[in-house]
Amino acid sequence: MTREEFVPGSAPLVRHSDREILSTAPGNATGLVMDSDATGGAVSVLNIYLPKGADGAAPHFHTRSTELFYLVSGRLEILAGDRIEVLEQGDTLLVPQLMPHAFGATADSDANIFTVLSPGVQRFDYFRLLDRIVHGQADISELRASQQAYDNHFVKSAVWSAGRGLSALDAP
């Protein structure tokens, strides 16, 4: 699939059928919608599907972007700072830069999420790396080494560990 570079004055469009779909954790599907280069740096956009109880992202923060989560369907547990919120269909949560966050589908529901980072960060290769890790084609150490490049900085969260237990820092 090819992506065109942003042209000032244009209105970027990505058809549903043109999205690259990756598996960034067992059982999930991450659709790469728009990366920063396609939006002139304005945003980066993903569509993430998580089956019941599936983890989405380990606790992390961004130094350059704010992240918006819109729950299209299902229920989602999301760490925002030092608390866990449960989002219901149609809910929107905005996580400011530097705030630790993580997310996963609730045990009783799958979740279909749109995430938007603003300003955008060129991150599609980050999700391709996660896909390679899930499929045994890359090592978790590559993920840890990529934190600065993709502005995805992993942290420990006692709140999240008690609630879900997922931590990229503890992975073998």
Side-chain angles (χ1 to χ4, degrees), residues 6-92:
F6 177 74
V7 176
S10 69
L13 170 66
V14 177
R15 300 280 182 196
H16 179 77
S17 60
D18 291 337
R19 294 181 190 162
E20 181 179 351
I21 306 296
L22 303 171
S23 178
T24 58
N28 86 354
T30 299
L32 307 182
V33 180
M34 288 185 181
D35 215 352
S36 182
D37 64 351
T39 67
V43 296
S44 301
V45 182
L46 299 173
N47 178 216
I48 303 168
Y49 168 78
L50 302 172
K52 288 180 183 178
D55 291 314
H60 67 283
F61 65 90
H62 309 292
T63 63
R64 301 186 304 256
S65 298
T66 293
E67 189 164 8
L68 180 135
F69 291 84
Y70 173 75
L71 188 59
V72 177
S73 64
R75 298 180 75 227
L76 184 73
E77 289 181 323
I78 187 162
L79 172 72
D82 61 358
R83 68 183 200 284
I84 295 176
E85 298 285 351
V86 176
L87 275 61
E88 306 281 343
Q89 179 175 334
D91 288 351
T92 303

Side-chain angles (χ1 to χ4, degrees), residues 103-172:
F103 60 91
T106 61
D108 64 346
S109 179
D110 57 358
N112 184 5
I113 315 147
F114 260 88
T115 67
V116 179
L117 267 80
S118 180
V121 174
Q122 203 59 22
R123 296 185 70 215
F124 280 8
D125 284 341
Y126 170 80
F127 296 101
R128 292 177 182 121
L129 172 60
L130 289 174
D131 184 79
R132 290 194 310 278
I133 291 169
V134 166
H135 291 96
Q137 301 164 348
D139 186 76
I140 192 83
S141 63
E142 293 179 58
L143 180 64
R144 290 187 203 107
S146 73
Q147 294 180 84
Q148 187 63 35
Y150 298 117
D151 191 29
N152 205 76
H153 306 275
F154 295 108
V155 296
K156 290 189 181 282
S157 167
V159 172
W160 193 248
S161 292
R164 295 195 62 101
L166 176 69
S167 174
L169 296 173
D170 296 330

